[in-house]
Amino acid sequence: MSDHAFRAPKGTRDVLWPDSARRRFLVEVFAEVVGSAGYLEVVPPIFEHIEVFQRLGPATDVVRKEMYAFEDKGGRTIALRPEQTASVVRGFAEHRPAVPYKTWYAGPNFRYERAQKGRFRQFDQVGVEVLGPYDPHLDAETITLAWRFYERLGLRRVTLLVNSLGSAEDRGRYVDALRVHFEENRDALSEESRATLAANPMRVLDSKREADIELVDAAPLMLDHLSDDSAEHFTAVTEALDAVGVPYTVNPRLVRGLDYYVRTTFEFAADALDASQNAVGGGGRYDGLAAEMGAPETPGVGFALGVDRTLLACDAEGVFAAPASAVDVFVVDATDGTEAVVLTDRLRSAGLRVDRAWDGRSMKAQMRAADRSAAVLAVIIGEDERASGMATVRDLRGDGGQETVEIGQLTDILRARLR
RNA sequence: GUGGCCGUAGCUCAGUCUGGUUAGAGCACCUGGUUGUGGUCCAGGAUGUCGGGGGUUCGAAUCCCCUCGGUCACCCCA
């Protein structure tokens, strides 16, 4: 591994090709899917004043213990963004664009926590946020777009879980009922859950500890505490999902870690991944957040999908493979090397993907480099070709057949053979 | 943040329990066999502060302590 040399900081890593190419393709697919629905890209800053994230709620772990914060030279307390919803909504409050404000984003987030596979201190997400409409059909649209995105990647084993947390008032009544339920059986709860109960009773529903299973199963359900208005909203969401044919499971115990969610919440689980970290994406409605950020009361809904975990899910399902090669043509120059200088430039300018070997190595070594580049064709220029104005085109993937052609026709011939 | 396991060549690992000559293997890499031809084969070659620091010892990859990193579980989430 390493000597006294530098290493990437804990919880971070270098993404090398071809993984880097694969990530970029993933973002391109996402941009196409949401772009086709009129969503516009937004690029928020990577850090914010810490207060922006503190608006996410005091019981939210992301702000309570996972914030990457520091003081800058101006004495401001700055935090690297743990997620992008807060930044996007802050930007909405700051610029007041016309609604509906439909945006998408892609980029890194930072959380200070113990790293493991599929969980890094710097991790990428893609997502959408929409400010303005209260319409439940919009919730369904965002969910549908995420679903189509997974489909486009080739993922087949993704499960959509949906739930409604009700309005802020519904939620308040429900939390009271939950608190009563758990307090009455306090002694049966695990020690960890008793601590969670004090901070946020709903989060107890998330417990995976044996001791808590019975009590969690017996807990009152949010869906029984919805006001008529919230229940109607939720029904409209699920009916819209039915109408477009996106399969889902209603999970009345789905609680998400961010405190700002109201009404619709949803999560995407990759069944091909281990259950402990199978959440590849999630989102919901946050009708109170814009006002928290200083905008007029404005409903909002959105989701974020984890790039790293989505790619792990793709690995597990054997889909969305990384590219096999970076170039299609490899130039081998067995003369003094000047032919390769000119030829690579000409072919690239013609739109071909072309590489070559360096350091004046033997033809055998250059051919080996050509093979390893995974290019489909080699263009060979030796003394004979140079003298006669020809070039040899050799097939590297099939039987290795080759032909010698006029240098002037090389570009057209390469294009034709690569088709 | 708490606990378990792990860290030897670019990669995957053996060697660690039972300290002892120049620290090994496979793959990958380089050169040659083929002075103009890769992918197979054959021959040869290069590469390690044994994660880092300290300690015990005549002697440490091996034993002890600290530290950094990875990994898994918890917590939580992407």
Side-chain angles (χ1 to χ4, degrees):
Chain A
M1 294 281 142
S2 192
D3 26 10
H4 36 267
F6 293 113
R7 277 189 292 198
K10 189 182 182 74
T12 69
R13 70 251 167 87
D14 301 299
V15 180
L16 305 181
W17 193 90
D19 293 330
S20 51
R22 195 178 181 215
R23 290 167 78 90
R24 188 161 49 79
F25 296 152
L26 180 145
V27 172
E28 284 168 8
V29 169
F30 185 75
E32 270 176 43
V33 170
V34 298
S36 75
Y39 289 67
L40 307 174
E41 185 174 13
V42 59
V43 183
I46 280 180
F47 54 84
E48 297 272 355
H49 291 111
I50 195 168
E51 291 80 5
V52 169
F53 302 121
Q54 286 168 340
R55 291 293 157 80
L56 300 178
T60 304
D61 279 349
V62 162
V63 316
R64 211 176 75 239
K65 57 180 191 184
E66 296 172 4
M67 200 87 90
Y68 241 114
F70 57 92
E71 190 172 291
D72 73 6
K73 290 179 181 177
R76 292 170 280 260
T77 302
I78 296 297
L80 303 182
R81 65 185 186 207
E83 55 129 55
Q84 293 179 67
T85 304
S87 291
V88 172
V89 175
R90 193 228 78 233
F92 171 79
E94 186 170 331
H95 304 290
R96 302 285 179 80
V99 296
Y101 179 55
K102 306 210 309 182
T103 62
W104 70 271
Y105 56 79
N109 302 319
F110 305 84
R111 292 182 196 171
Y112 192 92
E113 59 183 343
R114 192 79 166 252
Q116 54 182 267
K117 181 176 287 184
R119 185 169 72 179
F120 305 97
R121 287 185 170 181
Q122 176 178 334
F123 62 100
D124 274 58
Q125 287 184 330
V126 295
V128 305
E129 310 293 347
V130 184
L131 279 299
Y134 173 75
D135 194 334
H137 288 168
L138 175 62
D139 305 37
E141 174 177 287
T142 62
I143 292 169
T144 301
L145 289 172
W147 188 259
R148 299 301 176 214
F149 168 65
Y150 289 131
E151 282 184 342
R152 280 280 299 277
L153 295 180
L155 291 171
R156 292 294 176 269
R157 298 177 57 202
V158 174
T159 301
L160 165 62
L161 305 172
V162 299
N163 188 25
S164 176
L165 301 175
S167 66
E169 295 75 39
D170 301 341
R171 187 171 162 166
R173 285 201 311 277
Y174 175 58
V175 167
D176 289 342
L178 260 189
R179 190 177 284 119
V180 168
H181 169 74
F182 285 124
E183 287 292 354
E184 278 174 355
N185 302 283
R186 191 180 175 79
D187 295 343
L189 274 184
S190 67
E191 192 184 329
E192 295 89 338
S193 287
R194 285 200 291 271
T196 306
L197 179 58
N200 185 343
M202 285 212 303
R203 204 73 63 65
V204 176
L205 297 176
D206 257 348
S207 171
K208 291 167 197 152
R209 287 169 290 268
E210 289 274 329
D212 300 326
I213 291 176
E214 204 175 315
L215 265 186
V216 167
D217 282 347
L221 296 180
M222 180 70 233
L223 294 177
D224 295 332
H225 288 72
L226 294 182
S227 61
D228 290 348
D229 192 49
S230 294
E232 216 172 279
H233 192 278
F234 187 55
T235 300
V237 173
T238 55
E239 283 178 355
L241 291 175
D242 289 334
V244 292
V246 172
Y248 59 89
T249 302
V250 174
N251 180 345
R253 293 198 178 75
L254 177 66
V255 177
R256 302 204 29 89
L258 296 156
D259 289 347
Y260 52 64
Y261 286 124
V262 291
R263 297 192 180 82
T264 316
T265 58
F266 52 93
E267 188 167 300
F268 298 95
D271 301 326
L273 296 179
D274 289 339
S276 59
Q277 275 172 75
N278 66 351
V280 292
R285 188 161 268 287
Y286 45 84
D287 294 338
L289 192 57
E292 278 288 319
M293 295 290 177
E297 200 71 48
T298 309
V301 62
F303 65 72
L305 313 180
V307 171
D308 307 281
R309 281 197 196 168
T310 298
L311 289 174
L312 285 176
C314 289
D315 290 339
E317 289 200 35
V319 299
F320 201 64
S325 73
V327 294
D328 300 309
V329 177
F330 200 96
V331 173
V332 171
D333 184 345
T335 70
D336 60 5
T338 54
E339 296 299 315
V341 171
V342 174
L343 205 47
T344 51
D345 176 61
R346 234 183 65 209
L347 297 177
R348 289 165 187 163
S349 296
L352 296 166
R353 304 192 305 163
V354 185
D355 201 0
R356 50 160 296 184
W358 305 100
D359 294 331
R361 302 177 63 192
S362 70
M363 183 167 184
K364 180 190 177 87
Q366 290 190 55
M367 284 302 294
R368 212 182 302 126
D371 185 51
R372 267 199 310 259
S373 77
V376 177
L377 298 171
V379 171
I380 301 167
I381 306 290
E383 295 298 348
D384 294 350
E385 284 85 349
R386 177 152 78 170
S388 56
M390 308 288 277
T392 295
V393 177
R394 181 177 174 88
D395 169 35
L396 292 172
R397 297 304 132 205
D399 58 5
Q402 62 186 48
E403 61 176 325
T404 298
V405 305
E406 299 273 345
I407 196 90
Q409 300 183 343
L410 182 58
T411 303
D412 289 340
I413 286 166
L414 291 174
R415 279 211 192 97
R417 294 200 38 179
L418 287 171
R419 193 157 304 143

